[in-house]
Amino acid sequence: MSSFEEKFGNLVNKTVSSVEGLVNQTADNVSEFLKGSSSKSNQSTDKIGGKMGSSTSKMSHSTTTSSSSSAAPTTAKRLIPLFSVAYGVNNAGKTVLYPIDVSRDFAGTNPDEISVGHLQSHLAGLTSVPVEHQALLHKGAHLQSDTTLVSLKIREGAKMMMLGRVPPDPDQKYKKALSALDDEISVVSIRVTEMEMQLEANGQVPDTRKTLHKHFQLANENYLRILMKVDAVEIPSDRTEARQSRKALVVKLHGQMEAVDKLVLKCVPETTQTAATATPSEQQTSSDQQISSEQTSSEQQTSSDQQTSSVHQTPEQQTSSDQQTVYSDSR
């Protein structure tokens, strides 16, 4: 074998050895990498599993809590289910039913403690029938106010019957009388409004003003008659609401009469209004002047009568008069 072949063989051997070493090293690195990844994966899996377990536990606890919280209303409805109370009839002639839901109508009250009295108080607000005027019937039995609803063992959709009536209003007769008088006021007020419109439209015409003046005075007379009727309505002192209604009607009448008085003044000429609104001293001065004028006129009339009588005297009367004059002068 030549030297060249020996050198070439040595080079090949070295190259093979290098490649084998490199492959072995790569294999070792891959093995170590795989071992490390497997360990990290196991740790992540443990963490995720722990979190999922905690979440599952919380969800389980929440579900248990929710179930326990929703159990109370179910128990309340189970103890006292939905039912209705029949009372009265509607316009169609059908019985009116008032649905009762304990969880809604008696919220905050222990279902075991809800009594017939509680139910009656609730029905009083729905029907305006006072508790003392109510009678509740269930399965043909008259219920006592202290009986609990749980003890009645009411079935789902059951119906009770309520008997009773709304008591008459003790102020009804007073209100009716005052209402009738209020209607009379309205009639007069409508007429006054119509006349006021006529005054605004034709107030410059003397005849129209004179006619309206008369009608306005008649309207005030009608108001005064109604006021006397209102005062004649006798209401006991303990009937506060009715007495207040009567007082309000009196105030209304006074306001209407004052308004008509202003309209009456609009119908009067300005000169007459000035005389009517003069002060007492001015009215007294005017009165004195009238009296003085009347006295002067009377004296003038007397003098004129004397002159006329002197002119119409007979000769004998004239001679006697002259003699009386001479005699008076000689004295």
Side-chain angles (χ1 to χ4, degrees):
M1 181 179 294
S2 64
S3 57
F4 176 77
E5 293 177 348
E6 291 179 357
K7 291 181 179 178
F8 181 78
N10 293 331
L11 180 62
V12 170
N13 292 329
K14 290 181 180 178
T15 303
V16 171
S17 298
S18 298
V19 171
E20 289 178 353
L22 182 62
V23 169
N24 292 330
Q25 186 178 359
T26 303
D28 293 338
N29 292 337
V30 170
S31 177
E32 291 178 0
F33 175 78
L34 291 175
K35 290 180 180 179
S37 298
S38 176
S39 176
K40 290 181 180 180
S41 176
N42 291 334
Q43 292 178 358
S44 299
T45 303
D46 293 340
K47 291 181 179 180
I48 294 173
K51 291 182 179 180
M52 291 182 64
S54 177
S55 300
T56 304
S57 176
K58 290 182 180 179
M59 291 178 63
S60 175
H61 177 71
S62 175
T63 304
T64 305
T65 305
S66 176
S67 299
S68 62
S69 64
S70 62
T74 304
T75 304
K77 290 185 179 181
R78 184 173 63 252
L79 290 175
I80 307 175
L82 295 174
F83 65 98
S84 59
V85 178
Y87 171 74
V89 294
N90 56 21
N91 295 332
K94 295 183 179 180
T95 303
V96 180
L97 296 177
Y98 295 91
I100 304 299
D101 184 353
V102 171
S103 61
R104 178 195 64 194
D105 301 331
F106 304 98
T109 305
N110 188 348
D112 292 326
E113 298 176 356
I114 300 174
S115 65
V116 174
H118 289 94
L119 179 59
Q120 288 180 313
S121 299
H122 179 65
L123 290 172
L126 297 177
T127 63
S128 299
V129 179
V131 174
E132 59 271 16
H133 291 270
Q134 294 180 18
L136 283 177
L137 302 177
H138 179 55
K139 296 181 179 180
H142 180 218
L143 303 181
Q144 301 298 322
S145 60
D146 58 349
T147 304
T148 61
L149 297 184
V150 174
S151 64
L152 297 176
K153 298 181 180 179
I154 302 172
R155 294 182 179 180
E156 184 80 22
K159 294 180 182 178
M160 289 187 185
M161 178 68 67
M162 188 184 85
L163 303 178
R165 63 184 181 85
V166 179
D169 186 357
D171 294 336
Q172 184 61 33
K173 61 178 181 180
Y174 309 120
K175 292 179 180 179
K176 184 176 180 180
L178 295 175
S179 178
L181 294 174
D182 194 15
D183 291 340
E184 292 185 23
I185 295 174
S186 299
V187 172
V188 180
S189 299
I190 293 173
R191 178 56 181 155
V192 169
T193 302
E194 293 174 351
M195 293 189 296
E196 185 178 4
M197 295 173 63
Q198 294 179 11
L199 180 62
E200 294 294 335
N202 304 312
Q204 303 300 325
V205 181
D207 291 340
T208 301
R209 195 165 55 240
K210 182 179 179 180
T211 301
L212 291 176
H213 179 270
K214 180 180 179 180
H215 288 312
F216 282 134
Q217 288 180 327
L218 290 175
N220 252 354
E221 291 178 2
N222 289 332
Y223 280 140
L224 184 59
R225 277 196 295 269
I226 298 173
L227 181 60
M228 295 174 65
K229 291 181 181 179
V230 173
D231 290 336
V233 178
E234 297 182 358
I235 303 176
S237 58
D238 59 338
R239 304 261 55 91
T240 305
E241 184 178 354
R243 291 176 71 88
Q244 290 178 350
S245 299
R246 183 180 64 180
K247 182 178 179 180
L249 206 57
V250 171
V251 172
K252 180 179 180 180
L253 275 168
H254 283 299
Q256 297 285 0
M257 294 174 72
E258 290 177 1
V260 173
D261 285 338
K262 294 179 181 179
L263 294 173
V264 169
L265 290 177
K266 286 186 178 181
C267 297
V268 178
E270 294 183 0
T271 55
T272 307
Q273 292 185 24
T274 303
T277 56
T279 61
S281 59
E282 292 173 347
Q283 293 178 356
Q284 182 65 32
T285 303
S286 177
S287 177
D288 294 341
Q289 290 176 353
Q290 291 179 357
I291 293 173
S292 177
S293 175
E294 291 176 356
Q295 289 177 350
T296 304
S297 177
S298 177
E299 292 174 356
Q300 292 175 352
Q301 183 66 33
T302 303
S303 175
S304 176
D305 292 342
Q306 290 176 354
Q307 291 176 1
T308 303
S309 176
S310 175
V311 172
H312 294 286
Q313 284 180 349
T314 60
E316 292 80 3
Q317 292 174 339
Q318 184 66 35
T319 301
S320 174
S321 177
D322 293 340
Q323 289 177 353
Q324 291 177 359
T325 302
V326 172
Y327 177 72
S328 175
D329 291 341
S330 65
R331 294 186 62 185

